[in-house]
Amino acid sequence: MVSDAQLTQTIQSLKDPEIGRNFGELEMLKGVRRSGEVVSVQIELPTPAYPGRERISGAISAAVKQSDPGVGQVDVEFSAVVRGAMSGGSFGLRAKNVIAVGSGKGGVGKSTVATTLAYGLKTLGCQVGLMDADVYGPSVPHMIGSTERPSAVKVMTKSGEEIERIQPVSSDGLKVISMGYFLKPDQAVIWRGPLLHRAITQFLKDTDWGELDYLIIDLPPGTGDISLTLSQTLGLAGAVVVCTPQQVALLDAVKAISMFNQVKIPVLGIVENMTGEIFGRGGAKSKAEELHIPFLGELPIDAGIRIRGDAGQISSLFSEENPSRKPLLHICEQVAMQIAKQLLVAPKMPTLEIL
């Protein structure tokens, strides 16, 4: 009979199918227990959005049974703990990963992708916040069907000081803040850079977000002050670029990627929105391959998405019977895994010996 220690070594040497490093290096194996012919294995995933868990189960089961033919059954149990850099510590922002969603131009569905990304990660079991940083054209409140105004709450700091914070709106368990909650429906925002900087800083610093696995930030179209502000104040986990398949949209998406690179925000990848007969298919995937960045998935052009967005029912896209659920969740999984790969595959800094 093979010992638990030997089984542990066998499993630790297996490569994770998504990240490409073994379970021992990734510290994902949390326990191995044998009871007669049954072996129980505990695996801790780096995000609840991990796709294709059955591949891990199958690989572990095959390796254990090959190592010890006397094993009749292998039970693989999964847990998940989101890993992240906690980049908002200087603001008191307790978000493990902050993700910017941008585009080089308007009209490509950036806010729709940002909102569905937030709802999708929440559907997969994550704690998520959504910050609408499109100050000039805040559309998130309409898409989620929420008109209530954020309230002010008093909270106690660690030092015992009582301060006032903004309580974000809760929509189906998603925490949301937007300039749209503070404006009249027909009111325009005419601000220069300093006022934009202050508003974004308040959304980050003065909002009582609580503990978040992911904070999704919907950027305004184009390249400008807000992206620069975020790059200077937060260590973002990365940016998602949204575009449509046609060449004219891809030209502007490339500019957005260039902007993120210049301000040192990692590009997690490209999402192709509105894929189909009208705008074509595959343009974003080809551009991603050309630029050597990940392609996160495509979202087919679907009247149902537009209808639900107009009706303030974006969250209903994740109902079991909705045809858009699968491609949306695929994009969410890919975004989460790109962050996990950056954290887990990045080479560790050497330890310096102090003489």
Side-chain angles (χ1 to χ4, degrees):
M1 180 182 293
V2 176
S3 68
D4 287 359
Q6 290 172 310
L7 291 175
T8 297
Q9 188 174 7
T10 295
I11 297 169
Q12 283 182 329
S13 67
L14 295 176
K15 280 191 176 182
D16 174 85
E18 285 289 331
I19 301 174
R21 292 176 61 187
N22 66 51
F23 292 126
E25 293 173 323
L26 299 174
E27 299 179 352
M28 290 171 61
L29 179 61
K30 296 302 178 182
V32 178
R33 186 180 69 255
R34 180 170 186 159
S35 178
E37 297 182 355
V38 179
V39 173
S40 298
V41 180
Q42 289 81 44
I43 295 291
E44 183 183 272
L45 302 173
T47 173
Y50 190 103
R53 301 181 185 195
E54 66 279 355
R55 288 178 298 168
I56 293 180
S57 299
I60 290 176
S61 180
V64 168
K65 290 179 179 180
Q66 183 178 8
S67 174
D68 185 350
V71 174
Q73 179 178 332
V74 180
D75 296 329
V76 181
E77 301 169 1
F78 292 101
S79 60
V81 175
V82 175
R83 306 190 194 186
M86 296 298 290
S87 61
S90 61
F91 278 143
L93 179 64
R94 293 170 292 164
K96 293 180 181 178
N97 300 286
V98 183
I99 305 168
V101 179
S103 62
K105 66 192 300 293
V108 297
K110 169 189 56 62
S111 294
T112 299
V113 171
T115 305
T116 53
L117 176 59
Y119 273 120
L121 288 170
K122 186 191 73 66
T123 298
L124 291 167
C126 308
Q127 296 296 316
V128 188
L130 174 60
M131 176 178 145
D132 185 358
D134 192 350
V135 174
Y136 296 119
S139 56
V140 168
H142 179 83
M143 286 194 294
I144 68 174
S146 174
T147 57
E148 63 178 293
R149 188 182 178 91
S151 58
V153 295
K154 291 185 177 181
V155 298
M156 195 73 67
T157 65
K158 292 182 179 179
S159 62
E161 178 187 5
E162 190 177 64
I163 60 173
E164 193 168 75
R165 305 291 297 277
I166 302 170
Q167 186 70 36
V169 171
S170 179
S171 174
D172 295 315
L174 181 69
K175 297 178 180 180
V176 185
I177 198 72
S178 169
M179 184 58 69
Y181 291 126
F182 303 95
L183 300 172
K184 296 178 181 178
D186 58 350
Q187 184 179 352
V189 175
I190 309 174
W191 286 352
R192 293 188 184 274
L195 287 175
L196 286 173
H197 177 87
R198 188 169 70 181
I200 296 304
T201 300
Q202 280 189 302
F203 280 173
L204 292 169
K205 184 179 180 181
D206 297 336
T207 301
D208 186 25
W209 290 105
E211 301 278 353
L212 296 177
D213 294 321
Y214 302 97
L215 175 62
I216 312 300
I217 301 182
D218 178 24
L219 298 179
T223 58
D225 289 334
I226 290 180
S227 299
L228 184 60
T229 294
L230 293 174
S231 70
Q232 292 173 336
T233 54
L234 292 174
L236 274 77
V240 173
V241 177
V242 181
C243 65
T244 47
Q246 74 271 37
Q247 188 62 36
V248 67
L250 290 168
L251 292 172
D252 290 316
V254 170
K255 294 176 184 176
I257 292 168
S258 176
M259 180 269 295
F260 288 130
N261 287 333
Q262 288 182 54
V263 298
K264 310 301 182 186
I265 297 175
V267 177
L268 300 173
I270 298 178
V271 171
E272 181 174 288
N273 192 25
M274 305 183 196
T275 299
E277 294 181 4
I278 297 176
F279 296 119
R281 164 171 281 160
K285 184 176 183 179
S286 297
K287 184 60 66 175
E289 292 172 352
E290 177 186 329
L291 297 174
H292 304 290
I293 61 176
F295 178 64
L296 301 171
E298 61 181 31
L299 186 57
I301 191 165
D302 180 5
I305 297 176
R306 192 268 305 166
I307 291 169
R308 283 172 168 79
D310 286 347
Q313 299 172 352
I314 282 287
S315 62
S316 68
L317 291 172
F318 293 95
S319 61
E320 291 289 345
E321 69 279 2
N322 192 280
S324 298
R325 173 185 168 92
K326 185 175 180 179
L328 284 170
L329 288 180
H330 173 77
I331 291 170
C332 296
E333 291 168 347
Q334 292 304 305
V335 170
M337 289 309 300
Q338 286 302 320
I339 295 173
K341 289 175 185 178
Q342 287 189 4
L343 290 168
L344 298 172
V345 178
K348 295 182 179 180
M349 296 297 291
T351 302
L352 298 179
E353 183 179 354
I354 300 176
L355 301 177

